[in-house]
Amino acid sequence: MTEIFDQVIANSTEYHNSQHKLRLLKLEEELLELSAPIVPIKEHIFVLPIVGVMSDERATHILNQVVPEIANKNAEVLIIDFSGIHLLDTYAASRIFTITETLNLLGIRTIITGVRPEMAQTTVQLGVKLIHLEVYRDVKTALEKLN
């Protein structure tokens, strides 16, 4: 009888743990989606504000989920605003330029705004060439240049 009771408790615990893990995964997916909203500004012009930490997971989410969504919206211009980034690791910084190059290959003009001094230093240390990128201080300035 004790063995049966122990097995029931073990199965119940395993079930509840797996349900908890599924809920956590779903919450993480929802947070990733909310962490990279595509904001329409004008016809064919969108802003992608990045707030918080730019991690590898977030960069991968943007590359795999957000970029195709932007392409499906027939975007001509995407302004990626980094003014809300508080932490950027070296790998994620390099992934940002993979994202911009992917967008450029899709025919989407990519503009970067809100680069902080720390991010600029990381980018320079990586040896990333910014010749093909348009960079402005803030979204307002980028929108003024587009007009």
Side-chain angles (χ1 to χ4, degrees), residues 38 48 59-73 75 78 80 98-100 102-104 106 108:
I38 303 166
L48 178 64
T60 300
H61 170 74
I62 291 170
L63 189 60
N64 296 336
Q65 305 296 322
V66 177
V67 167
E69 187 177 342
I70 291 166
N72 288 337
K73 292 180 181 287
L78 178 67
I80 303 176
T98 302
I99 292 166
T100 60
T102 302
L103 289 164
N104 286 332
L106 293 171
I108 300 169

Side-chain angles (χ1 to χ4, degrees), residues 77-140:
V77 177
L78 178 67
I79 300 170
I80 303 176
D81 182 48
F82 293 110
S83 59
I85 294 253
H86 300 294
L87 183 63
L88 178 76
D89 68 29
T90 308
Y91 186 72
S94 66
R95 294 291 298 247
I96 289 167
F97 299 102
T98 302
I99 292 166
T100 60
E101 289 189 14
T102 302
L103 289 164
N104 286 332
L105 285 172
L106 293 171
I108 300 169
R109 180 177 168 192
T110 307
I111 299 172
I112 303 294
T113 62
V115 176
R116 293 176 179 228
E118 310 83 45
M119 184 177 172
Q121 288 174 348
T122 301
T123 303
V124 170
Q125 289 170 354
L126 284 173
V128 176
K129 305 295 181 204
L130 300 176
I131 297 169
H132 66 281
L133 284 179
E134 287 182 72
V135 181
Y136 296 104
R137 181 181 305 223
D138 52 37
V139 174
K140 180 180 177 231

